[in-house]
Amino acid sequence: MWTCADGPDRPPASDAHRTGEPVGRDGETALLRELLSVHRLVTVTGPVGVGKSALAAAVCAGLPDGPRRRIVRVRAPGGANAPAGALAAELVRAARQARSRRGAAGPWTRTPDGPRGPGAGAVRVPAGPGTPAPADVARAVRAAARGGQVLLLLDDVDPVHTECAGLVQRLLMAVPEARVLVTSRAALGLGEERVLRLAPLRTEARDGEGGRSPAVRLFLARARGRGPYDLSAVREVCRLLEGVPLAIELAAGQTGRHCAAELARLLRRHQCWLSGGRPNAPRRHRSLRAAIGSAYALHDRPVRVVWARAAVFPGSFTESAAVFLCAGGGVAPHQVPGALARLAAIGVLRPEGDPGGVHRPRYRMAAAARDFGRERLRAAGEFPIAVERLVTHARRTAEVAEDLWGAGSQRQAVRLLAEEQDDLMAVARHALERPEHTPAVLEAVVALWFWWVVYDHAEPGRDLLLTLLGRCEEDSPLAVRARWLAAWLTAPGDPRAARSLLGRAWPAAMLAGDDAALGRIAHVQGMLALRDGDPVAAAAHFREAADTVPPHAPGGPSAAVSLAALAVAEAAFDPVAARRSARRALSHPDVREDSWACLLARYARAFVDHRHGRRGRAWQRARRALAAWDTELPAPLPAPHGRAALHGLIADIESGTAGRDRVPFIPTPRPARGWAIAKIGN
């Protein structure tokens, strides 16, 4: 059994950082030692730059190496064109070298660069002219064991992954005293293999860590002597680099040229420019572009093309979206899912949600891999085409969401938008730089009216609409619909601007004979009057809206919403008419397929009862409305505008207050809540 050695076989403490002693990997180090003590084959996997070799080297440095236990390290031949049998030849030479070593001095040898152990590299022996037979490889490994045990560390075997799997399988059967530790981006797939998958370092600090997460500690350790540092900027750097140790070490090496805040600014734009590293590090570890490129070069053309084209997605995406965007130009649609699976296996893509569950799988590309893929896409001249496809995909997504909302499947519509919001916002911001995409993007933004109005995203929706309106035709039907929606979203903070937008939309809607737009303009006018404390004028506008908007009209709130608002306005001066309007709202045909309109109609009826002294009935109505909505919409989805008003109404009823200020028909200005998404291009 292999156990940790704390004696002279461990590297000198002064060489800890030179040998790549892993920071923040205490749990993984202990687990790897435990796996090696029990199992004969252990593979450490993970994405590019996650620290697989450093962890394996650190664990091997703590294992005893003497006459009865040998450690043989082999770094696989690099490059996508490694000759057949190169790994076997390398292993035979390394095993013979280990056998010829005298005594039990341990694995530490002297090289021209100073003390070096397994963590800093091994002696590279070029493959001979012939490929060793399996029996020759087994004989060399058995001889290196000298009747004891031998641990083979096969490092970075990705270029010879298939050869490595066959070689290891034969060795485990032929040499019972051998154990094998492999580092690779993907597992070998052998039956007795135990896999330790390394994740990036945690970037968020926990209690008791003094605000310094493992990623921050690694940055500070590698940038030692160049401080002091702004810890908040260091945390942002580590967050942008997603906790990848290699990227963090390269960024720490740049602190002599850039402060941490400047590093964060540069990394928001691009990451592949990072370079430097230790002089004795492998060439591919001296820049982030080279490290990712080494993984990119090992794949065949369809996988590389899918990698580059999928990099245009700024957020997570589904398999079907990837097929739509990536297929073509020599890549068949049926090849895309397999390419996604291969990229996920090596950590370029991260599955999100519940892989293998009932929902569609979603993927998110690592930030550095996305930057590299976009470089390849631009080099191939395909970036504009990919962006055009992404715009088309965003418009179709908006259309599907609007159709779901109008068909009564509002839960599915909200879930779809919650998943696709990164792509939709990035496409919208991209249209600000590409005028030819403005109509398609504006159409998508208008189609998502319920996302802006119902789910308290008024500020980002308003900003997008006002910006896009300045780039489209003045009196087009699309501009009319965009203006009344922009007025609705602008009304809470700037009533004057909202009235100006309505004044420009109304003539064009009249000339076009657009009853739905005219009715919704009247509804926004009623909101403004209600906000100004004029319930009589508000009731007139809401009545006009309820009578004008056709049944089941897409692209905005239904007439039932205007009837509910009418009941709230009439409650201030005509309780009989208010109760009649509330009953009309609940019996309107659109309520059956519009749970949000139903929520507002129930709120209106409870509000009217409360305003006119029927506290018990109002409380029961409000509680039933809230329970019905909570049953329909699960907790993980965002709460709609109006739910908070119901909670407030219940609190008013229980406390005996009038509840005049809680009106769910006027959206409350809120922060953008994470909608400042990066642009598609860097």
Side-chain angles (χ1 to χ4, degrees):
M1 179 179 293
W2 291 86
T3 57
C4 177
D6 295 321
D9 292 323
R10 290 189 61 81
S14 61
D15 291 336
H17 89 276
R18 183 180 299 178
T19 58
E21 192 76 20
V23 175
R25 296 293 192 191
D26 296 342
E28 292 90 340
T29 300
L31 180 56
L32 181 54
R33 286 172 177 162
E34 180 182 352
L35 290 173
L36 283 174
S37 67
V38 178
H39 303 286
R40 296 184 63 203
L41 173 59
V42 180
T43 301
V44 181
T45 67
V48 173
V50 80
K52 302 179 291 293
S53 298
L55 178 67
V59 169
C60 287
L63 297 176
D65 186 25
R68 304 292 296 176
R69 292 185 177 94
R70 288 292 183 191
I71 300 176
V72 178
R73 175 175 178 178
V74 178
R75 182 178 291 279
N81 299 318
L87 179 62
E90 194 91 13
L91 179 55
V92 169
R93 299 295 295 274
R96 290 173 180 171
Q97 185 182 32
R99 180 189 178 192
S100 64
R101 208 166 54 204
R102 301 289 184 182
W108 297 89
T109 60
R110 179 70 58 175
T111 69
D113 296 327
R116 179 180 294 184
V123 177
R124 294 296 304 273
V125 182
T131 300
D136 296 334
V137 179
R139 190 179 304 112
V141 172
R142 194 179 298 110
R146 293 186 176 182
Q149 294 179 337
V150 61
L151 174 64
L152 305 178
L153 171 54
L154 306 182
D155 190 19
D156 190 23
V157 301
D158 296 282
V160 288
H161 192 272
T162 303
E163 179 191 351
C164 181
L167 180 63
V168 168
Q169 188 172 33
R170 290 191 295 268
L171 279 176
L172 292 177
M173 291 188 295
V175 188
E177 55 268 38
R179 293 173 185 262
V180 183
L181 173 60
V182 178
T183 67
S184 174
R185 298 183 196 107
L188 299 181
L190 300 180
E192 53 186 307
E193 180 182 25
R194 294 298 180 269
V195 178
L196 173 59
R197 183 166 183 83
L198 283 188
L201 293 174
R202 184 166 38 84
T203 59
E204 297 296 329
R206 295 174 178 170
D207 293 340
E209 292 183 338
R212 299 187 178 190
S213 64
V216 171
R217 295 203 305 272
L218 175 62
F219 183 96
L220 297 177
R222 296 299 182 259
R224 187 179 293 119
R226 303 190 184 104
Y229 302 101
D230 180 359
L231 276 182
S232 62
V234 172
R235 294 189 192 101
E236 178 65 7
V237 168
C238 295
R239 186 193 66 81
L240 291 170
L241 295 176
E242 300 180 333
V244 177
L246 175 62
I248 292 173
E249 290 187 1
L250 294 175
Q254 298 291 326
T255 51
R257 304 176 185 175
H258 308 285
C259 66
E262 178 70 9
L263 269 177
R265 186 186 67 82
L266 294 172
L267 292 172
R268 287 189 191 97
R269 298 175 56 190
H270 205 265
Q271 295 186 9
C272 288
W273 62 271
L274 286 174
S275 62
R278 296 187 298 272
N280 58 352
R283 181 175 300 177
R284 61 184 177 82
H285 283 173
R286 296 178 190 176
S287 78
L288 197 55
R289 182 179 287 106
I292 299 172
S294 66
Y296 180 85
L298 295 178
H299 292 291
D300 52 16
R301 183 183 179 277
V303 178
R304 294 198 301 268
V305 170
V306 170
W307 179 340
R309 292 175 180 172
V312 80
F313 287 107
S316 65
F317 56 91
T318 62
E319 185 178 284
S320 59
V323 170
F324 172 77
L325 195 141
C326 299
V331 178
H334 71 270
Q335 292 178 298
V336 177
L340 296 177
R342 291 180 63 181
L343 293 175
I346 66 170
V348 172
L349 297 178
R350 294 193 299 268
E352 291 190 345
D354 182 21
V358 296
H359 299 297
R360 297 179 300 172
R362 299 189 68 85
Y363 300 96
R364 183 182 296 272
M365 188 171 290
R370 184 166 59 244
D371 289 344
F372 183 90
R374 289 176 180 175
E375 287 183 350
R376 299 294 91 203
L377 201 61
R378 288 189 176 91
E382 293 186 350
F383 191 79
I385 300 173
V387 170
E388 187 173 345
R389 287 193 180 188
L390 185 61
V391 171
T392 303
H393 167 68
R395 190 182 71 246
R396 290 182 178 180
T397 299
E399 291 171 354
V400 169
E402 185 184 25
D403 290 344
L404 288 171
W405 182 273
S409 301
Q410 297 181 349
R411 180 172 59 184
Q412 290 86 343
V414 176
R415 177 178 287 113
L416 175 63
L417 292 182
E419 292 174 344
E420 301 286 349
Q421 57 181 329
D422 287 356
D423 288 350
L424 292 171
M425 288 302 295
V427 166
R429 297 185 189 282
H430 176 74
L432 305 182
E433 300 176 354
R434 300 291 296 272
E436 65 270 22
H437 292 154
T438 297
V441 174
L442 183 59
E443 185 176 354
V445 173
V446 172
L448 300 181
W449 67 269
F450 57 91
W451 184 251
W452 317 120
V453 170
V454 181
Y455 289 95
D456 287 340
H457 294 118
E459 289 193 17
R462 177 202 63 202
D463 294 344
L464 280 173
L465 285 168
L466 293 178
T467 305
L468 293 170
L469 275 169
R471 301 165 184 259
C472 70
E473 296 181 17
E474 179 74 16
D475 296 327
S476 66
L478 179 59
V480 172
R481 291 189 289 140
R483 283 199 176 89
W484 76 254
L485 179 56
W488 185 319
L489 301 176
T490 305
D494 193 348
R496 184 175 179 180
R499 289 188 174 92
S500 174
L501 287 165
L502 294 176
R504 297 168 65 185
W506 187 85
M510 281 291 293
L511 290 174
D514 190 344
D515 289 343
L518 288 170
R520 284 154 187 162
I521 290 171
H523 183 96
V524 179
Q525 290 172 331
M527 288 169 45
L528 291 169
L530 199 62
R531 182 187 183 279
D532 293 339
D534 188 352
V536 176
H541 288 303
F542 288 137
R543 190 178 297 109
E544 178 186 354
D547 294 340
T548 306
V549 176
H552 308 293
S558 66
V561 174
S562 298
L563 285 171
L566 173 62
V568 170
E570 290 175 334
F573 61 89
D574 190 344
V576 176
R579 283 194 289 272
R580 184 168 58 248
S581 297
R583 287 194 296 269
R584 285 182 60 199
L586 278 172
S587 61
H588 196 276
D590 289 343
V591 164
R592 289 193 295 269
E593 296 180 350
D594 190 341
S595 55
W596 179 61
C598 183
L599 175 75
L600 297 186
R602 289 181 172 184
Y603 171 88
R605 196 162 189 188
F607 181 86
V608 171
D609 286 338
H610 174 51
R611 286 294 304 273
H612 296 283
R614 302 179 179 181
R615 292 179 54 193
R617 181 178 296 180
W619 186 86
Q620 291 177 356
R621 292 187 191 281
R623 295 295 301 179
R624 285 199 299 267
L626 198 59
W629 183 271
D630 290 343
T631 301
E632 236 180 89
L633 201 63
L637 296 179
H641 186 64
R643 189 175 181 274
L646 267 175
H647 279 290
L649 179 59
I650 292 171
D652 290 339
I653 295 171
E654 294 173 347
S655 63
T657 57
R660 294 175 182 271
D661 298 327
R662 294 187 174 92
V663 181
F665 308 99
I666 303 177
T668 304
R670 293 174 183 260
R673 296 194 296 185
W675 279 79
I677 306 299
K679 297 176 183 177
I680 297 174
N682 291 309

